[in-house]
């Protein structure tokens, strides 16, 4: 026992064979196997033996440093996460150096992107080598900030483009992947920020925005907000904070908030002489009958104020059905709009994609047979369409009234001319890119460049 070295609760580890100059590890005797943060994991065969390629972001505070690693695959194990969920992880074996000692270590490849430490040092590595003193830190290898800066100097690329953050919830969505590709293709650095992992410090002297694990987010030139309706309040608070710190936000918090308040947006449209289907709003069930008469009776559309992608939108075909649905919604204290049904549209609407006051693409959406909603998420079919000058003017004006730099504007053709249905502050790219063949993601990145006067 006296031969065992004392190790702290955190230590620096060096992996020469993997090409990792230094990585912080949390020492955890409660975990059997050590693990390391890894992404883009791919198994391949070399000389009849399975190997693994994977990427490591070794420095929590600098997510732009990415090291491509490869090692022999030695096992596949079922490991329980901190949430108690079992998952299969690949295991590699490689030498590690801690202080002046080098030995082989088994590492499970894990997604530790949201963890404070990029590596966990388990008891198999500690056994017969170390005693843990949780009161100490970096006792075996106390690298200074300047030591780390020197070790990683060659990995830091000289900044040639903008640094952009995509603030959203799901990195795998088509729209988010396309925006990441477009920014990279134009020579910019772009990172995905999960809106629910970002938090802020409000302080007059040193306000901050941080990412899970303590990474301070202070180097972005621009933010592309694509926040889902469920996190509108929190997402908009973050957008305001980024704006307060001098970061350009492609859509402002105020613009997003008012575009998602369907009642307020409808009032703005009405005030600014933008024609919409006749719309009614009332609180008391006592007014239901007159509300229905006010929008020319059934059939009529009933919309939840927070509806999106066609969800929470109901067609009532008779006055009796309309009364039942309206009163049912009101009985559970849900706010709704009642809107006239434009029968002559035949289940079609037009989506105009507006960027900085220009319609860059338009598509027609046709509802499925028996369905009145033309949204792509509801099975609608998209096709390219040439819009009229009047429709183009309406789309541009609607985005301008809401002060949205990027907007999906939905228009319906009626006997009274084009009518505005609604304006989306986070319009999807998949349907319109595939229908029109246009690179909308590139247009969005270009819009940021123009706003920031970026010259490559």
């Amino acid at each position: 026992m006296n031969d065992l070295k004392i190790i702290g609760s955190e230590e620096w580890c060096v992996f020469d064979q993997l090409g990792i100059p230094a990585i912080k590890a949390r020492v955890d005797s409660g975990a059997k196997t050590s693990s390391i943060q890894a992404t883009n994991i791919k198994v391949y065969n070399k000389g009849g033996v399975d190997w693994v390629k994977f990427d490591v972001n070794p420095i929590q505070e600098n997510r732009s440093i990415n090291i491509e690693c490869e090692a022999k695959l030695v096992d596949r194990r079922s490991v329980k996460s901190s949430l108690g969920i079992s998952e299969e992880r690949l295991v590699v074996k490689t030498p590690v150096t801690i202080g002046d000692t080098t030995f082989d270590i088994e590492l499970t490849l894990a997604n530790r992107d949201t963890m404070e430490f990029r590596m966990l040092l388990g008891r198999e590595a500690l056994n017969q080598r170390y005693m843990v003193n949780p009161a100490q830190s970096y006792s075996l290898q106390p690298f200074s900030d300047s030591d780390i800066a020197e070790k990683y100097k060659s990995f830091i690329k000289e900044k040639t483009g903008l640094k952009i953050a995509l603030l959203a919830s799901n990195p795998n969505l088509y729209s988010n992947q396309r925006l990441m590709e477009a920014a990279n293709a134009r020579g910019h650095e772009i990172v995905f920020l999960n809106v629910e992992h970002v938090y802020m410090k409000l302080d007059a002297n040193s306000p901050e925005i941080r990412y899970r694990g303590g990474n301070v987010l202070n180097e972005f030139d621009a933010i592309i907000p694509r926040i889902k309706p469920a996190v509108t309040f929190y997402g908009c608070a973050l957008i305001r904070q980024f704006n307060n710190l001098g970061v350009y936000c492609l859509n402002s918090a105020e613009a997003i908030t008012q575009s998602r308040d369907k009642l307020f947006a409808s009032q703005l449209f009405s005030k600014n002489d933008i024609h919409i289907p006749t719309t009614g709003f009332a609180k008391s069930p006592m007014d239901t009958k007159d509300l229905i008469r006010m929008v020319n009776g059934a059939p009529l559309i009933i919309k939840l104020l927070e509806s999106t992608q066609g969800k929470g939108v109901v067609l009532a075909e008779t006055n009796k059905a309309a009364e039942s649905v309206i009163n049912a919604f009101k009985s559970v204290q849900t706010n709704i709009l009642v809107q006239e049904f434009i029968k002559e549209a035949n289940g079609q609407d037009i989506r105009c994609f507006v960027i900085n006051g220009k319609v860059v693409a338009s598509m027609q959406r046709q509802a499925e047979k028996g369905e009145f909603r033309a949204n792509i998420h509801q099975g609608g079919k998209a096709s390219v369409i040439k819009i009229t000058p009047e429709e183009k003017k309406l789309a541009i004006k609607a985005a301008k009234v809401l002060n949205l730099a990027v907007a999906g504007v939905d228009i319906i053709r009626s006997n009274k001319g084009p009518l505005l249905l609604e304006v989306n502050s986070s319009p999807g790219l998949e349907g319109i890119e595939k229908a029109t063949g246009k690179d909308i993601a590139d247009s969005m990145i270009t819009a940021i460049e123009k706003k920031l006067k970026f010259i490559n």
Side-chain angles (χ1 to χ4, degrees), residues 262-273:
K262 285 186 170 54
L263 178 59
F264 182 40
S266 297
Q267 290 174 314
L268 285 174
F269 299 145
S270 181
K271 178 183 176 183
N272 287 276
D273 196 31

Side-chain angles (χ1 to χ4, degrees), residues 178-197:
R178 285 288 298 113
L179 286 165
M180 301 283 281
E181 291 167 2
N184 285 321
R186 296 190 67 84
H188 306 304
E189 180 187 343
I190 185 165
V191 297
F192 182 89
L193 298 179
N194 186 319
V195 64
E196 295 180 59
H197 296 171

Side-chain angles (χ1 to χ4, degrees), residues 285 288-289 292 300 302 316 318-329:
T288 299
K289 280 186 169 59
I292 292 170
L300 55 78
I302 300 159
T318 67
N319 283 357
K320 192 168 183 181
E323 280 188 56
S324 298
V325 174
I326 292 168
N327 290 334
F329 277 135

Side-chain angles (χ1 to χ4, degrees), residues 280-298 300 302 318-327 330 336 338:
F281 176 77
K283 183 69 175 170
S284 170
M286 300 293 288
D287 301 313
T288 299
K289 280 186 169 59
D290 193 42
L291 189 64
I292 292 170
R293 281 193 294 270
M294 196 166 65
V295 299
N296 303 319
L300 55 78
I302 300 159
T318 67
N319 283 357
K320 192 168 183 181
E323 280 188 56
S324 298
V325 174
I326 292 168
N327 290 334
K330 286 182 177 177
I336 57 168
V338 178

Side-chain angles (χ1 to χ4, degrees), residues 247-351:
V247 181
Y248 171 63
C249 301
L250 191 54
N251 275 336
S252 71
E254 291 71 25
I256 293 169
T257 299
Q258 62 189 16
S259 73
R260 290 191 172 170
D261 184 337
K262 285 186 170 54
L263 178 59
F264 182 40
S266 297
Q267 290 174 314
L268 285 174
F269 299 145
S270 181
K271 178 183 176 183
N272 287 276
D273 196 31
I274 293 175
H275 295 286
I276 63 174
T278 304
T279 301
F281 176 77
K283 183 69 175 170
S284 170
M286 300 293 288
D287 301 313
T288 299
K289 280 186 169 59
D290 193 42
L291 189 64
I292 292 170
R293 281 193 294 270
M294 196 166 65
V295 299
N296 303 319
L300 55 78
I301 302 294
I302 300 159
K303 289 183 178 180
L304 293 178
L305 284 188
E306 62 273 19
S307 63
T308 182
Q309 297 176 350
K311 298 170 186 172
V313 181
V314 178
L315 171 64
E317 298 193 13
T318 67
N319 283 357
K320 192 168 183 181
E323 280 188 56
S324 298
V325 174
I326 292 168
N327 290 334
F329 277 135
K330 286 182 177 177
S331 71
V332 290
Q333 304 297 305
T334 301
N335 288 316
I336 57 168
L337 288 179
V338 178
Q339 203 166 65
E340 72 172 316
F341 177 62
I342 309 300
K343 186 178 180 181
E344 61 267 26
N346 294 317
Q348 293 177 344
D349 71 10
I350 297 167
R351 161 62 62 89

Side-chain angles (χ1 to χ4, degrees), residues 14-280:
V14 176
F15 293 93
D16 286 330
Q17 276 192 16
L18 297 180
I20 300 174
I23 184 170
K24 283 181 187 176
R26 175 172 167 258
V27 178
D28 185 359
S29 59
K32 182 181 178 184
T33 311
S34 303
S35 66
I36 195 167
Q37 180 268 348
T39 56
N40 299 324
I41 302 169
K42 292 174 185 170
V43 178
Y44 67 101
N45 193 277
K46 184 166 74 172
V49 177
D50 282 341
W51 283 66
V52 191
K53 281 185 179 177
F54 54 98
D55 294 344
V56 175
N57 301 116
I59 304 298
Q60 176 77 22
E61 297 80 17
N62 191 336
R63 300 166 74 220
S64 65
I65 295 177
N66 184 73
I67 298 177
E68 296 179 2
C69 306
E70 62 176 2
K72 275 186 185 177
L73 177 66
V74 297
D75 200 4
R76 297 173 188 260
R77 289 180 196 157
S78 180
V79 177
K80 274 193 177 180
S81 71
S82 57
L83 298 174
I85 301 168
S86 292
E87 57 182 31
E88 185 185 73
R89 288 187 190 165
L90 304 183
V91 184
V92 299
K93 195 171 189 178
T94 188
V96 63
T97 300
I98 305 175
D100 56 5
T101 305
T102 301
F103 56 92
D104 284 346
I105 187 175
E106 286 191 347
L107 294 169
T108 62
L109 305 183
N111 182 357
R112 298 183 57 82
D113 201 43
T114 60
M115 303 294 183
E116 186 177 356
F117 288 85
R118 297 307 210 193
M119 182 181 162
L120 184 147
L121 198 65
R123 65 176 178 271
E124 281 185 341
L126 305 174
N127 194 27
Q128 303 299 317
R129 294 188 181 96
Y130 303 108
M131 288 183 64
V132 181
N133 182 349
Q136 293 183 11
S137 295
Y138 312 112
S139 55
L140 297 177
Q141 209 146 249
F143 292 144
S144 65
D145 289 346
S146 58
D147 291 335
I148 297 301
E150 182 63 30
K151 286 176 178 292
Y152 281 99
K153 187 167 63 174
S154 62
F155 293 91
I156 299 173
K157 298 173 186 173
E158 187 179 341
K159 185 176 178 182
T160 56
L162 298 172
K163 186 163 183 181
I164 302 170
L166 178 57
L167 186 67
S169 295
N170 183 354
N172 299 317
L173 288 183
Y174 175 94
S175 300
N176 295 336
Q177 289 185 338
R178 285 288 298 113
L179 286 165
M180 301 283 281
E181 291 167 2
N184 285 321
R186 296 190 67 84
H188 306 304
E189 180 187 343
I190 185 165
V191 297
F192 182 89
L193 298 179
N194 186 319
V195 64
E196 295 180 59
H197 296 171
V198 185
Y199 54 102
M200 59 187 133
K201 180 179 84 170
L202 306 177
D203 177 72
N205 296 319
S206 57
E208 285 182 345
I209 298 180
R210 296 192 175 205
Y211 203 63
R212 181 169 289 178
N215 189 12
V216 179
L217 306 177
N218 59 359
E219 298 178 356
F220 293 116
D221 299 298
I223 299 290
I224 302 174
R226 293 190 63 83
I227 53 177
K228 60 186 180 182
V231 291
T232 298
F233 178 82
Y234 188 67
C236 285
L238 292 172
I239 294 165
R240 283 192 295 272
Q241 185 78 345
F242 275 115
N243 183 65
N244 291 344
L245 295 174
V247 181
Y248 171 63
C249 301
L250 191 54
N251 275 336
S252 71
E254 291 71 25
I256 293 169
T257 299
Q258 62 189 16
S259 73
R260 290 191 172 170
D261 184 337
K262 285 186 170 54
L263 178 59
F264 182 40
S266 297
Q267 290 174 314
L268 285 174
F269 299 145
S270 181
K271 178 183 176 183
N272 287 276
D273 196 31
I274 293 175
H275 295 286
I276 63 174
T278 304
T279 301

